[in-house]
Amino acid sequence: MRRTATPAHGWLRRIAWLVLIWAASVAAVAAVAAVLRVAMRSVGLAP
């Protein structure tokens, strides 16, 4: 029979997933912003 995780371990694991998802979303927004910046510069809309 498998042992269930202790409540503290489960809480830490959920917080770790939350931080991982947040960091991935921030990185995705930064990547989109960089692509848009390059596109705008290539057509002469940004300095």
Side-chain angles (χ1 to χ4, degrees):
M1 188 172 205
R2 291 178 50 176
R3 294 177 59 184
T4 58
T6 60
H9 183 270
W11 181 82
L12 289 174
R13 188 172 180 155
R14 287 183 186 201
I15 294 297
W17 273 109
L18 179 68
V19 170
L20 179 68
I21 292 169
W22 173 80
S25 66
V26 169
V29 169
V32 170
V35 168
L36 286 175
R37 182 179 298 147
V38 169
M40 289 179 68
R41 284 185 181 171
S42 68
V43 297
L45 293 176

